[in-house]
Amino acid sequence: MLQTFNSDQSANIAHWRSILTLVVFFLTNIIVIFPFRVPLPRFAVSAFRNVLVKCRITLPRTSQPLRRRYLTVNFLSAPIMAILLLLATQAIDSGVLRRGILGSDGVRPINIMALFVSLAYLSISLDATGLLRFLAFWVVKKGGDSGPKLHFYLYLFFLTCAAVVGNDPVVLSGTTFLAYLTRVSGITPPTAWIFSQFTAANMGKGVEESTSVAD
């Protein structure tokens, strides 16, 4: 009965839990875009530091004055605070949180996040080797003085890669590649080139069977 009651309340968009969840969602997105810092009281910082010193986690404070500490509310802390607020107000329960992480009905958010983290690591590794920087110089040299020719080669390259490996690796690695290319070729601003990359990546993905909600 309790599970049915909570399900009916969640399905009712006019219920206060649904309204609160929607408001917290929008506020969290605004905070992620416009982060801010909250100054912490000095006595709280001093008391917390004394506890750390007693636990031998940090060294005792020197004669230097205690610096002002701030709590940064950004894309890292704001979502966690929002979830804790919704759990404290019982707008959502542990079951909703579990399904939001592990997924349900064939949708697995944790698998998608693992894929993005793996692709991001691959992109950073390629960047560290200098391969993307080398390819940027090579493409600019092949394109010569013709802007449309260079743009066509890049569009065809991103389209072919997306048709083979999907749009996610192309977007993650291609954005870094375009950053080097537009810098060495003096293209400012690079907005049109980045949008062309996104368009080519999504068009190339269209030849494959859709495997994600975004596609």
Side-chain angles (χ1 to χ4, degrees):
M1 289 295 292
L2 181 59
Q3 184 178 1
T4 306
F5 177 71
N6 290 334
S7 178
D8 293 339
Q9 286 183 339
S10 300
N12 186 9
I13 195 172
H15 195 269
W16 69 268
R17 286 186 172 88
S18 301
I19 297 174
L20 177 61
T21 303
L22 188 62
V23 171
V24 171
F25 172 77
F26 281 113
L27 290 178
T28 304
N29 281 274
I30 293 174
I31 294 174
V32 168
I33 299 173
F34 304 103
F36 60 92
R37 298 192 307 171
V38 179
L40 297 176
R42 293 183 183 274
F43 71 90
V45 176
S46 179
F48 181 70
R49 183 176 180 83
N50 292 335
V51 172
L52 295 180
V53 171
K54 290 182 178 180
C55 296
R56 297 184 179 181
I57 298 177
T58 185
L59 296 176
R61 189 176 61 183
T62 59
S63 57
Q64 296 180 355
L66 185 64
R67 293 185 301 174
R68 191 63 182 266
R69 300 292 181 176
Y70 296 88
L71 174 63
T72 303
V73 183
N74 53 12
F75 67 97
L76 295 175
S77 56
I80 298 177
M81 294 179 181
I83 293 174
L84 294 177
L85 175 62
L86 293 177
L87 288 173
T89 57
Q90 296 184 352
I92 61 174
D93 55 11
S94 58
V96 174
L97 183 60
R98 181 179 181 277
R99 291 193 298 272
I101 297 175
L102 301 181
S104 62
D105 298 330
V107 180
R108 298 289 183 265
I110 192 171
N111 293 349
I112 299 175
M113 290 304 302
L115 174 64
F116 272 99
V117 170
S118 302
L119 292 176
Y121 177 78
L122 177 62
S123 177
I124 294 173
S125 300
L126 290 175
D127 186 21
T129 60
L131 177 62
L132 298 179
R133 189 181 290 107
F134 165 77
L135 290 176
F137 279 101
W138 184 80
V139 170
V140 171
K141 183 178 179 181
K142 289 295 182 181
D145 298 331
S146 176
K149 182 180 179 181
L150 177 61
H151 187 274
F152 174 74
Y153 284 161
L154 287 175
Y155 192 91
L156 186 63
F157 171 73
F158 289 137
L159 185 68
T160 305
C161 290
V164 176
V165 300
N167 56 351
D168 293 333
V170 173
V171 170
L172 289 173
S173 299
T175 304
T176 310
F177 167 76
L178 279 179
Y180 286 122
L181 185 141
T182 53
R183 185 183 306 168
V184 299
S185 58
I187 300 175
T188 54
T191 308
W193 297 76
I194 295 177
F195 274 102
S196 298
Q197 176 211 2
F198 290 165
T199 304
N202 288 321
M203 288 183 62
K205 180 66 176 178
V207 302
E208 301 179 0
E209 182 182 358
S210 181
T211 56
S212 68
V213 179
D215 298 331

